[in-house]
Amino acid sequence: MDFVASAWMVPMLSLLAFGVVIMIGERGKAWTPIGSTIVSGVAAIFACCVWVQQWQERSSYTWAEWRWLTMGDWPVQFGYEVQSLTACMLVIVTMIGALVQLYALSYMRDDGRKTTFFAYISLFTCSMCGLVLSPNLLQLFIFWELVGLCSFLLIGFWFTKPAAREAARKAFLLTRIGDVGLLIGLFVLYHAMPNNSLALIDVHNAVQNGVIPEHTVTLVALLLFFGAMGKSGQVPLHTWLPDAMEGPTPISALIHAATMVAAGVFLVSRTYDVFLASSTALLIVAIIGAVTAVLGAVAALVQRDLKRILAYSTVSQLGLMMCTLGMGTQAALIAALLHLLTHACFKALLFLAAGRVIHTVHQQDIEELGGVRNVLPWTTGAFAIGALALAGMVPLSGFWSKEALFAVLLQGGAVWVTTALCVSALTAMYMTRAFVRVFLGTLRQKNVRASRDIPMGVPLGALAVGAIAIGWPPMFARLGAQLGEGYPHTPAWLVATSLGVVVMGIAVAAYVVRPRVIVASTRARQPSRKKVVPQRRFSGTGARVASILRVAVWDWVYRNGVVRPFQAFSRGMAQLDQTLVRACTEGIGTCTVLIGKLASRAHVGQLHVYGIWSLWGIVALLCFVLWKKV
Amino acid sequence: MTQTMTAYVLLAALLFVLGLYGVLTRREPIVVLLCVEVMLQAVALNVLAFAKYGGFEDVTGHVFVLFILAVSAAEVAVGVAVFLALVRQRGVDDVVKLDTLHAERQEE
Amino acid sequence: MALSGDFIAFVVLASAIVFGVLTFLGSGVIVHRVVALALSFLGMAGLFVLLGAELIAGIQVLVYAGAVSIVIVFALMLTPSHTHKPRTPTWRALAALVGCGAFGGIIWAVLLERTTNGTPTDALEFAVRDVGVLLFGRYALALEIVSVLLTVALIGAIVIGQKQKGGAQ
Amino acid sequence: MKGIAKGLGVTMKHMFAPKVTSAYPDVPIDMPDRFRGVQYFEPDLCIVCNQCVRICPTDCITLTGKPNPDPLKKNKVIDTFNVNFEICILCDLCTEVCPTEAIVMTNNFELAAYSRDELYKDKEWLYANNTHIRSENSTNLSPAAKGGKDNGSER
Amino acid sequence: MAIRTEQLLLNVGPQHPSTHGVFRIVVTIDGETIVNATPVMGYLHRGTEKLAEQLTYTQIIPYTDRMDYVSAMTNNYVLCHTVEKLMQLEVPERAEFLRLIVMELQRIASHLVWWGTYLLDIGAMSPFLYAFRDRERIIHLFNELCGARLTYFYMRIGGVKWDAPEGWLDRVRAFVPTMRAQMAQYDALVSGNEIFLARMKGIGTYDAQTAIAYGLSGANLRCTGVPYDVRTHHPYSLYDRFSFRVPIAHSGDCYARYCVRIAEIHESLNILEQALDVVPDGPIMGKVPRVVRPPEGEVTASIESPRGEIGCTIVSKGKDRPYRLKFRRPSFVNLQILPKLLIGESMTNLVTILGAIDIVVGEVDG
Amino acid sequence: MSMFVSAMTTAAVMMGITLGFVTYAIYAERKVLGWMQLRIGPNRVGPWGLLQTVADVLKLLLKEDIVPHKADRTMFLLAPIVAFVPSFTVIAALPFSEHLLLADITIGLLYVLAVSSISTLGIVLGGWASNNKYALLGGMRAAAQMISYEVPLLLSVVPVVMLAGSLRLGDIVQEQAGGFWHWYIVPQFFAFGVFLIASVAELNRTPFDLPEAESELVAGYHVEYSGFRFAFFMLAEYMYVFAMAAMTTVLFLGGWHAPHPALDVVPGVVWFVLKFVGVVFFLFWIRATLPRLRVDQLMGFAWTVLLPIALLDIVVTAIVQSIIR
């Protein structure tokens, strides 16, 4: 079977699952989630087959025949395209999708709208696969928006919680800002392309041949990147991502760690030619990525919410990837994608592990947590693997992908690699903090019992194995080789340095953040501590600086830096409007209203009157026609 | 023979206008419905008159009238059902009161 | 026009039809109106016979006089008594009257001027068969559409006419 | 369908069965002997004991007596004897108590009249009603009334 | 038909073919569906109970004839039985046998009237005439026995008025197999007929609890599976000497009532067969004082009439007239469930349900 | 002019025949019902009661013509006529033998069914105009019932038309020539059943006599009618008995054809009358046997039993015919 050529089956399977589940509705809540999971599993296996075949035969396949509609002479075509990048992404999306669904079988077991949840996940998987397989930018944009919609639906899944509602709206609006940029970019590109084609292959050729003028390319690249910023949570459009943690944890793992946020990176990678053609754009990408990476890491350091730590970590890691992409070499592309791959794996693992903790302990404030190790030993192990992988410890996948990043960044310049090393150190620190606070020490919650939960355990195990196994050097190298030529080579000193940085970070954090061993009875008498000291600082002044970077601060910045001035400007304009323009418009308006009122007299809503009017109209028309003829 | 044709056609026109007048002035929904029927009948008469005196060789006109009859039967079925539903649910038996399209009424 | 049997029949039927329609428009009791209209429908069937469309006449009687009138009377029986007779505002009636008059006048004028003669097709001996052939041949698609329409109307009427759950108030 | 067919069979069978209609006004109906019809009154037998008036549940009998025209006899004789057949329920109690069988039942039952007044029957009318007189009367008065005589069986 | 439109206040009766007399129901109908039903009684009220206070005990008996005029014999019996109970009178055995025979004949006659009129209500005309032909046979027997066709006034306190005439018992004996044959005909005509079944099955259903709560008796109670019959539960007369079944049904609908009544006819025929073979000779009147004057006291007795449990309560102050006399009239009691059964049914079912209750307006109104 | 006279004469003769039929149909019905109910039936006017109906009709004609005060006078007076006239008009198209028919209409079958549907209007109007609740209920039932049963009635005729290939009644009979096995009752037994049941329902006769169900609606739509207006309704009903029995004979029982070609010596009219009398007798017979259906059962029966059977019959006939052809 030619799996590559029938890759369209993957989104179709998910779509089928979505349709069936949503149509059956809550009636089938006993078995539709399981069915949906099985379909996702089949899709994942299919995607793996596609990937393996693509890898072995190095074949790429494009089919874009189906003409959806024609606007003037411009055809809007649908189709799909399989090549190494997309095959790889397809595997990630479907794999994690399937695992998350399996996980959610248990996590969402008692939810009233379980089937809806699974339907949404299926729709999301479908859209994401559609996005990945898109052969042209228009189709990509359509799925891009669908993905955004699914994200909105899933963040706001528990819409009875005000915070969830708020977060969903925020995520939707902020990503929409990015999307507007992307759309404008598409318009510009459409205008600039010689044959108005938005097919990626045509864009590739056009940019390679230099058909498009330099400044247009820069503009397009920046606008595309703006879209990617929105989706991938780059500063300053990142604030929605931590808030999106109000959604169910499996969703955080699937959408806000592994797949959707990676769409931005994917978009940049897919249109990398455009970026390569513009050094300005590359520089901006690198700067924004670096800033995001640092800010995200610092912010993660001071969060109390376990999921928010992971969310900021995601922001930070995505920033790293963007920064790497900003280096503008083929190796950079490969390195960024490899990191995307490994990150998807271990970040999903971390989220799922965190979800398991939350599901068991019903608490996600790390200051209130502790000693979970005793309850969930296996989960602790999985989290540790994920954390170490994220930090970049030696045998784990994160290490290898980070090494690739460092190598690329080193070629870009010392400043980049230094930043990256700082980020690496910070990463090690916040992950250590989170781990120590959550898993070590004394368990404070009473009556916590962990049940053996196979649907939750299997994805954790699978992802943990993935987080270790992807890093297996021969395999990792071959992965890189599949993605493209020029897998970067890291100098030994850099390896050593980076490892040192990580170890140092862990050590510092372990020193500062001691596991809390507290007698439960004394804690119990002081439940209000949380209120007295609302923010638990990482360490004295450093943390105070770091706290500037939290979401609240960014909201403040938005409010004072953007909203307030804009409001002031608006107020001024309003004054102008009230005095000068109003005088002019009032008259016109009054006239219009008067005419409207007069006309609305005729609009009585009664058959008879309309009929009489029509009749008179026909009579007049007849008279006119006859008179013309005579 | 021309005159025969004219007579039929003029009768049809008269009926059509009478039906039209009824539609525009009568207020009972059922009567309005029936006025539309009168108009349809006028059309049918017209078509048949042409079928006979129009110099056609086949009976296409008859087929058309059959279609008119079918459509008007459907119209009556749905119309009467709508009428009953109106009377039942809103107590409306007057076309003039069916003015939910009116801007001011809509807010009520 | 010669004083033939056809002519007499035409005059009689036409007067019956016009009388029926006028009574229909003018009468005060709604059931009287429907009956008057049934009379015109029957007259119309007579005209159809004169025009050589016996099949159509039969169906006309079956559908209009037989079914439509009864359905309407039935519907009237089911609804509260129609004692009050709403009056249309005079200006509206006048506007409609003038409009209709003008419309009718124009048509009348045009028809008088333009109706051309053709040789009357002979009384079609096998009209029924011909109609059938046309119906299932050239107009098969239209027939199918009409049958779908009828089905939809039937179902629609049932749905609309259904008793509201929990009682309609 | 089977049940309906069976039913059709039954009706068809009855079509040829003998009819039960009697040609009543043309052919009078013979009532059994015990039939309680309109009373026959024989004034000569009446001793004006008033028992019938007292026993009548509907008070439909009125009678007056007068001294016996034969001055030798002390007893009274009947003067008027009216039965109101508007309310008489033909219960047979009057004949039951009558010690002399002056009032007895007949098998005549046709009482239809055009006027209510006609239903007041006087003694002449009742005396004239002398056909189909019941053969056994007052057979079963309570034993005390009949002097304790056992008249249980008539076999 | 699902037509909800104007509601119509329909006055069924007191002059209506299916109310079996001057009974009246005011129904509110919506299309064909009954929304509300109010029975109006009393058009035939004659104040029997009050009149009885002015009458001697013997004089009351003909009034009972006119209460349930379709089964006068049982009415006669309940009064005589109560007075006898009060006075502790012995009734000669022959008289008691005659009473039992006429009561069972009466039950058959009454059910036949019901059968015919009920099917007439449902719309079949022939069964009515067939039933009346067979009832005519019983009436003729009664006519021979006591000289009346409807208001028999046969029973007296302490016995019966007439002994059986010559050959009468043989004629009754001959009647039994004839009637059995006729019943087979009825079954063929009705019991398998799909239309009849469709009209009766599932209509006017109630359960045993409801039936008991409403105080129903007779076939109306037995159709719900409660095997209550005064003849077996509180045996009176000679019923404890005969073996018979109390027919019951379980579905509680009109068809169940129908089946119970038909089975009761069969059972009555069985009783007749058994009784006719053992009628003894002897007097037909017990030792009864000339003036019936029960001792002071209160007594209640009830028996099974064709329509249900008919009861009689007498309060005596030692006079020859009752101080108070009260009848428990089964038709009246059974009728109370009617409004409950009617709501939501169609006009047509009104007739079916009312007919299946089997009322006699004389008894309802008293 | 002579044609006109002869036409009028024929019409008059026909009227006499039908009136005679109605007279003796009523008589026969009463007799048959009487016999089946162990009675004798009318026997007092004339020999064997033969003039009973005449006496009844005379009585009705002489009775006071009562129009209830609150009735809608116009409609009340009009309704019996509307019910009666079509019933009489129907007779014109019926072929009694090869030569004995008044009007040979191309669409005879359609004509009969169409014209007979007008009578419903009369019944409904009568029910409405009486301003009596029982009459109104009866009228509504009549409307619902007759419209419902018209559908299976028409559909059950379609297979016959398909077999005969003509709407002309004469043609339909001709197609059935040649013995019993050529009659359409043989291939179209189900259509025959549906037609018979539906026509009984159209006639408002037991077991479908709901519009006048005397045990519920007292007399239904004509409860307020008396005198000759009542007689009109009565005449209309029996006229339709005539028409429907004749239609059954024509459509399914081979019209005037003998059951076997050898019996052709007997004139066609005789055969026609024999079959016709058989159908009429059947109508009386079921009236004597069956009770009335309930409204919902009635409607349900039409739509869920008769209609599918009729439709299926059409489909099967079409298939079989296309195979044979």
Side-chain angles (χ1 to χ4, degrees), chain A residues 291-371:
Chain A
V291 171
T292 309
V294 174
L295 289 185
V298 172
L301 207 52
V302 295
Q303 295 302 315
R304 288 179 54 139
D305 188 312
L306 178 56
K307 283 178 74 180
R308 276 175 168 256
I309 293 174
L310 296 177
Y312 274 110
S313 158
T314 306
V315 170
S316 165
Q317 296 299 315
L318 287 168
L320 264 186
M321 291 175 217
M322 284 298 186
C323 183
T324 312
L325 283 173
M327 296 303 106
T329 58
Q330 198 62 38
L333 181 62
I334 296 165
L337 286 172
L338 281 175
H339 193 58
L340 177 65
L341 193 72
T342 56
H343 173 259
C345 199
F346 56 68
K347 189 49 72 60
L349 170 64
L350 282 170
F351 266 111
L352 294 187
R356 179 101 166 98
V357 171
I358 293 164
H359 194 65
T360 312
V361 186
H362 302 292
Q363 177 59 267
Q364 55 191 73
D365 186 343
I366 59 168
E367 299 300 331
E368 299 291 330
L369 282 163

Side-chain angles (χ1 to χ4, degrees), chain A residues 357-524:
Chain A
V357 171
I358 293 164
H359 194 65
T360 312
V361 186
H362 302 292
Q363 177 59 267
Q364 55 191 73
D365 186 343
I366 59 168
E367 299 300 331
E368 299 291 330
L369 282 163
V372 175
R373 176 186 47 140
N374 305 324
V375 190
L376 300 165
W378 288 99
T379 309
T380 310
F383 194 90
I385 291 171
L388 287 174
L390 174 57
M393 259 331 258
V394 104
L396 301 174
S397 56
F399 169 76
W400 302 102
S401 57
K402 271 197 181 168
E403 288 320 309
L405 291 187
F406 290 150
V408 172
L409 289 170
L410 184 66
Q411 286 167 8
V415 58
W416 303 119
V417 80
T418 316
T419 316
L421 284 171
C422 288
V423 171
S424 189
L426 287 168
T427 309
M429 283 158 83
Y430 64 68
M431 282 322 292
T432 311
R433 169 175 176 256
F435 184 78
V436 169
R437 278 280 190 266
V438 174
F439 291 97
L440 304 182
T442 315
L443 183 67
R444 279 168 230 174
Q445 282 73 23
K446 291 202 176 117
N447 302 328
V448 174
R449 271 193 315 114
S451 53
R452 288 164 59 85
D453 213 331
I454 293 170
M456 278 196 180
V458 170
L460 282 177
L463 285 169
V465 169
I468 299 170
I470 296 175
W472 189 45
M475 156 130 177
F476 200 68
R478 287 186 64 183
L479 250 178
Q482 190 210 358
L483 286 171
E485 299 298 321
Y487 177 68
H489 177 70
T490 323
W493 64 267
L494 189 57
V495 176
T497 316
S498 69
L499 265 179
V501 162
V502 169
V503 171
M504 194 184 72
I506 294 173
V508 169
Y511 175 73
V512 173
V513 189
R514 293 284 170 75
R516 266 204 204 86
V517 182
I518 296 161
V519 181
S521 59
T522 56
R523 279 299 298 185

Side-chain angles (χ1 to χ4, degrees), chain F residues 251-316:
Chain F
L251 293 178
F252 293 99
L253 300 178
W256 57 80
H257 292 300
H260 192 273
L263 293 169
D264 274 343
V265 281
V266 182
V269 186
V270 175
W271 287 118
F272 186 93
V273 169
L274 278 178
K275 295 167 188 173
F276 170 83
V277 165
V279 176
V280 171
F281 175 77
F282 182 74
L283 293 179
F284 297 160
W285 189 13
I286 57 171
R287 178 168 172 191
T289 309
L290 295 183
R292 194 175 300 117
L293 280 166
R294 206 168 56 224
V295 183
D296 51 336
Q297 291 167 344
L298 177 97
M299 302 303 256
F301 189 64
W303 293 107
T304 61
V305 179
L306 293 185
L307 191 64
I309 292 179
L311 286 174
L312 205 66
D313 198 358
I314 293 174
V315 173
V316 170

Side-chain angles (χ1 to χ4, degrees), chain F residues 11-302:
Chain F
V13 169
M14 208 57 226
M15 178 149 182
I17 290 174
T18 47
L19 278 180
F21 163 79
V22 168
T23 309
Y24 286 98
I26 295 175
Y27 172 78
E29 172 154 37
R30 294 178 62 175
K31 271 289 186 196
V32 168
L33 275 184
W35 290 335
M36 286 189 172
Q37 294 167 351
L38 304 167
R39 299 182 283 117
I40 298 171
N43 64 341
R44 299 190 73 83
V45 186
W48 306 291
L50 275 173
L51 296 177
Q52 182 64 47
T53 319
V54 179
D56 286 345
V57 169
L58 277 177
K59 179 202 75 175
L60 286 174
L61 291 180
L62 294 174
K63 269 179 97 166
E64 185 186 356
D65 178 25
I66 300 169
V67 180
H69 182 62
K70 291 267 189 176
D72 185 313
R73 196 179 168 82
T74 327
M75 285 299 133
F76 189 83
L77 299 183
L78 196 62
I81 301 168
V82 174
F84 176 70
V85 171
S87 74
F88 203 74
T89 323
V90 161
I91 307 297
L94 297 173
F96 302 104
S97 82
E98 224 156 331
H99 312 291
L100 187 58
L101 79 168
L102 288 186
D104 187 18
I105 306 172
T106 335
I107 51 150
L109 181 54
L110 189 62
Y111 169 83
V112 170
L113 296 176
V115 171
S116 67
S117 70
I118 299 176
S119 282
T120 317
L121 189 61
I123 289 174
V124 175
L125 281 181
W128 177 82
S130 304
N131 203 359
N132 175 308
K133 289 166 181 174
Y134 288 115
L136 183 70
L137 280 175
M140 284 194 330
R141 282 183 179 185
Q145 173 179 337
M146 293 175 96
I147 288 180
S148 296
Y149 275 87
E150 212 155 275
V151 178
L153 187 76
L154 277 170
L155 289 179
S156 69
V157 163
V158 172
V160 172
V161 177
M162 286 160 80
L163 288 182
S166 171
L167 284 170
R168 182 177 296 178
L169 293 170
D171 293 351
I172 294 174
V173 177
Q174 274 316 334
E175 288 287 322
Q176 301 179 64
F180 171 73
W181 52 92
H182 288 277
W183 296 356
Y184 285 148
I185 187 175
V186 179
Q188 294 296 345
F189 185 75
F190 287 101
F192 170 72
V194 173
F195 183 85
L196 202 60
I197 294 171
S199 61
V200 173
E202 283 289 295
L203 295 170
N204 290 334
R205 290 176 62 85
T206 321
F208 303 102
D209 58 344
L210 291 131
E212 46 192 296
E214 75 275 357
S215 63
E216 309 147 33
L217 300 185
V218 191
Y221 60 89
H222 56 56
V223 69
E224 295 284 0
Y225 279 93
S226 65
F228 71 96
R229 292 189 194 282
F230 173 74
F232 269 9
F233 278 123
M234 202 70 182
L235 285 177
E237 181 180 335
Y238 282 91
M239 212 67 105
Y240 278 124
V241 171
F242 183 91
M244 282 302 177
M247 284 298 281
T248 314
T249 312
V250 164
L251 293 178
F252 293 99
L253 300 178
W256 57 80
H257 292 300
H260 192 273
L263 293 169
D264 274 343
V265 281
V266 182
V269 186
V270 175
W271 287 118
F272 186 93
V273 169
L274 278 178
K275 295 167 188 173
F276 170 83
V277 165
V279 176
V280 171
F281 175 77
F282 182 74
L283 293 179
F284 297 160
W285 189 13
I286 57 171
R287 178 168 172 191
T289 309
L290 295 183
R292 194 175 300 117
L293 280 166
R294 206 168 56 224
V295 183
D296 51 336
Q297 291 167 344
L298 177 97
M299 302 303 256
F301 189 64

Side-chain angles (χ1 to χ4, degrees), chain E residues 280-298:
Chain E
D281 281 342
I284 55 158
M285 200 69 196
K287 301 265 179 278
V288 184
R290 190 181 186 285
V291 179
V292 176
R293 205 178 302 240
E296 207 163 318
E298 181 176 340

